[in-house]
Amino acid sequence: MKLEIGNFYVKDIVFGSALSYDKGLLTINKDEALDFIRQDERITEAQLYIAKPGDKIRLCPVKEAIEPRIRLNGKGSFPGYTSNLDKAGEGISYALKNCSVLVVGRHWGGFQDGLIDMSGEGQKYTLFGSLNNIVLVADTDEVFEQREQQKKNDALRRAGHRLAEFIAQCVKNLTPEDREVFELEAVIKRNPEIEKLPSVVYVMQPQSQMEEIGYNDLVYGWDMNRMLPTFMHPNEVLDGALVSGSFMPVSSKWSTYDFQNCPNIKALYKEHGKTINFLGVIMSNLNVALEQKERAALFVAQIAKTLGAEAAIVAEEGYGNPDADFIACCVALEDAGIKTVGVTNECTGRDGQSQPLVTLDVKCDAIVSCGNVSELIELPPMETVLGELESLGRDGLSGGWADDEILGPSVRKDGSIIMENNSMFCGDMVCGWSPKTMKEF
C-alpha cells in the first residue's frame, strides 16, 4: 500500500477576499468559510480567528485539532465520518503543514476540553502553541450538553473536520513543496534482508471506554467501543481513518492531528529496512470491565505472535482505568515472548509521590514516561482569550476547579490561572511529540 502526501508549508495566515495559498501565505475568506460552517443548523454561533506562535492569545476550552488535507481523487479526507466510507491509506493527499484547525467552545467546556497558550511559559506545554492555527470558536443548540461534564460535541467536531477539508481546497491544483511517501509491503514474502531484521509491531490503544455511542475515537466512522483489536496498515492511521473522540482528560487525548502525523509511526517507518522490520499497527481498544480488558490483551498478543513480531511498542491514550488495559497488554505480549516497550503518561499526584499507574507488573520493565498529568502549572494573564476562560473552573475541566481551600480558584480575577497539566490540550503527547525528560534528584 502506497500513500503519498504532498506538503505545503504555511508560514503565515491572513483573512482576505479569496481562499488561496501562495509561497507560504494562506489566505482565508472569513465570511465564505463561516457560511460553509453554518450549513449545519446545529451551529448557533461561529467566528473565525487566527492564532500564531508568539501571539498573546490563550485558547480555552479547546476541543479538537485537525490538519487541513484534501484528496486528489475528490473523496473525503475522513472516510466514514465527513464522507462516504472508503479506503484510506493509499493514493495522493495534499496537506497544509505547520498549520491546524482548532475547535474551541464559545461558552461551554467539559472534562475532555483544554487550554493552549500561543506565547509565554504556557506555549511549551502543547504542540499547537508552535503552529499557525485557524481557530473556529463556536456554540451549538445542544443545550442538554451544556452543564454535563462529558460532552459529545458532535456538531463542533464535525464542523472542524469539514472546515479543514474546505480550507485545503486551495492547494488542490498546486505543486507541493515536498512529498512524503509511505509504502509498506505485505507482511509476508518481504525482502530476505528485511526479514532478517527484528520484527516490530506498533500497538495503539485509542480511547473507547464510553459505552454510549458518540464519545469515543472512531475508525472509519465506527465507534471503537464496538470493536475488538484488529491489524491495520500504518498508512490508514496517517490518512484520516481515525478521528479523535470527545472523551478522556484532555492532556491525555490524541487529537485527529496527532493521528494524521503520528511521530511514533513515522519513526518506525524511518527505521524500516535499516534496523527493524516494521510489520504494521495493531489497533486495540480500551475497556471498562476486567474481562473485556483481558480479552483485548489476548487478541493483541495473538495477532502480534501470528504476525511473527519479536518486539512491540504499546501506546496508551488516557490514564487511570485505561492503565489496566495498558499493563495487561504489555504483560500478554511479554508472556508471548515479545519484547515490549510501553509509552504512557503518569498520574503521580501534585507532589509526584503517588503510584504512577493504577496497576503495575514486574514484566513491564521498559516504559517511556511522558510526564505527570497532575503537575501544577501557574500562568500569568494573557492579553486575549478565545473562547471562555471561565470554563476552566466552571465546567469540570479535568485539570481545573472552581475553588480550592489552599490554591483558590483556577481562574483568578486578574486572568492568571493555576491548574493541573491535565487541562493542557493534548499536552502529554504520548503519540511521539513529547519533549519531556525524566531526571533523578
Side-chain angles (χ1 to χ4, degrees):
M1 188 180 291
K2 182 178 179 180
L3 170 66
E4 183 177 312
I5 300 178
N7 295 321
F8 299 82
Y9 293 89
V10 176
K11 298 175 182 176
D12 198 6
I13 307 174
V14 296
F15 290 126
S17 60
L19 176 65
S20 66
Y21 177 86
D22 182 41
K23 298 177 181 177
L25 178 63
L26 174 62
T27 302
I28 300 170
N29 183 313
K30 182 190 291 188
D31 292 336
E32 185 180 64
L34 287 172
D35 287 344
F36 176 76
I37 291 301
R38 290 170 180 146
Q39 291 176 9
D40 187 335
E41 295 180 352
R42 297 176 296 173
I43 303 292
T44 57
E45 299 179 58
Q47 189 54 267
L48 281 183
Y49 301 91
I50 296 166
K52 297 178 286 187
D55 289 347
K56 295 179 180 179
I57 293 175
R58 176 165 291 154
L59 302 96
C60 182
V62 185
K63 300 174 180 294
E64 172 66 303
I66 312 104
E67 182 173 80
R69 289 192 186 179
I70 188 168
R71 294 186 196 278
L72 295 196
N73 62 9
K75 297 180 179 179
S77 293
F78 306 98
Y81 184 65
T82 58
S83 60
N84 292 333
L85 185 61
D86 193 45
K87 190 176 183 180
E90 61 183 7
I92 302 174
S93 290
Y94 284 177
L96 290 168
K97 310 303 289 187
N98 300 333
C99 168
S100 82
V101 170
L102 296 177
V103 182
V104 178
R106 172 65 184 87
H107 298 292
W108 303 99
F111 188 63
Q112 67 283 347
D113 301 328
L115 180 143
I116 297 171
D117 273 2
M118 297 305 302
S119 61
E121 175 68 13
Q123 183 186 21
K124 69 183 182 184
Y125 286 97
T126 77
L127 170 72
F128 302 97
S130 65
L131 298 182
N132 296 297
N133 300 299
I134 305 111
V135 184
L136 171 64
V137 181
D139 198 11
T140 73
D141 62 2
E142 296 167 323
V143 177
F144 70 96
E145 289 194 348
Q146 287 182 356
R147 297 186 184 276
E148 292 293 324
Q149 189 185 47
Q150 299 293 352
K151 296 176 174 63
K152 294 182 180 180
N153 287 322
D154 182 70
L156 297 181
R157 288 162 55 204
R158 289 180 187 271
H161 286 81
R162 292 175 60 242
L163 179 61
E165 291 179 321
F166 177 84
I167 290 171
Q169 293 179 90
C170 65
V171 297
K172 185 174 183 179
N173 297 315
L174 302 181
T175 302
E177 294 161 43
D178 67 31
R179 297 173 187 265
E180 294 176 279
V181 177
F182 301 97
E183 187 171 12
L184 196 65
E185 58 271 54
V187 175
I188 63 171
K189 298 179 181 178
R190 289 184 172 176
N191 185 305
E193 293 303 310
I194 292 178
E195 292 193 344
K196 289 179 183 178
L197 299 171
S199 296
V200 181
V201 69
Y202 183 46
V203 181
M204 300 182 73
Q205 293 182 311
Q207 189 50 236
S208 55
Q209 287 186 290
M210 296 292 277
E211 294 184 351
E212 184 180 338
I213 293 294
Y215 293 97
N216 300 306
D217 293 346
L218 305 175
V219 177
Y220 288 106
W222 182 257
D223 193 295
M224 289 196 66
N225 186 264
R226 299 296 189 264
M227 65 176 283
L228 288 168
T230 188
F231 184 62
M232 292 185 70
H233 197 287
N235 288 7
E236 294 176 281
V237 181
L238 299 175
D239 194 35
L242 273 83
V243 168
S244 177
S246 194
F247 176 65
M248 206 60 226
V250 73
S251 72
S252 307
K253 279 174 67 69
W254 295 339
S255 68
T256 298
Y257 186 101
D258 293 320
F259 288 128
Q260 292 172 294
N261 293 279
C262 183
N264 288 338
I265 289 179
K266 290 188 175 183
L268 290 165
Y269 249 120
K270 187 176 180 180
E271 293 303 313
H272 178 64
K274 299 176 183 177
T275 61
I276 64 169
N277 177 15
F278 181 29
L279 299 176
V281 176
I282 298 176
M283 193 61 62
S284 187
N285 51 356
L286 297 167
N287 306 283
V288 176
L290 181 59
E291 181 181 318
Q292 295 171 347
K293 296 174 186 291
E294 292 173 342
R295 182 181 297 112
L298 289 172
F299 266 95
V300 169
Q302 175 269 121
I303 295 170
K305 191 70 173 178
T306 302
L307 290 170
E310 298 167 88
I313 298 171
V314 180
E316 166 193 24
E317 182 183 15
Y319 69 92
N321 187 291
D323 291 346
D325 304 73
F326 174 72
I327 294 296
C329 186
C330 292
V331 170
L333 287 163
E334 287 283 349
D335 286 344
I338 299 167
K339 297 295 184 183
T340 303
V341 175
V343 186
T344 182
N345 51 23
E346 304 176 45
C347 185
T348 55
R350 293 178 182 176
D351 60 2
Q353 298 299 308
S354 298
Q355 180 171 303
L357 303 177
V358 167
T359 181
L360 295 168
D361 193 285
V362 294
K363 295 174 183 176
C364 300
D365 57 0
I367 293 181
V368 177
S369 171
C370 296
N372 177 17
V373 299
S374 302
E375 178 183 348
L376 283 174
I377 297 171
E378 192 168 1
L379 298 172
M382 197 65 73
E383 285 185 6
T384 301
V385 173
L386 298 184
E388 197 167 64
L389 186 58
E390 290 75 11
S391 67
L392 177 63
R394 183 192 65 202
D395 300 337
L397 269 68
S398 49
W401 54 85
D403 196 23
D404 183 281
E405 59 182 13
I406 297 175
L407 301 173
S410 275
V411 182
R412 297 160 177 159
K413 291 182 180 180
D414 66 352
S416 64
I417 58 173
I418 185 169
M419 66 181 204
E420 293 181 352
N421 174 65
N422 255 320
S423 275
M424 278 295 175
F425 180 75
C426 298
D428 298 327
M429 300 181 267
V430 172
C431 64
W433 306 108
S434 181
K436 295 175 183 176
T437 300
M438 180 176 288
K439 293 184 179 180
E440 188 171 332
F441 294 94

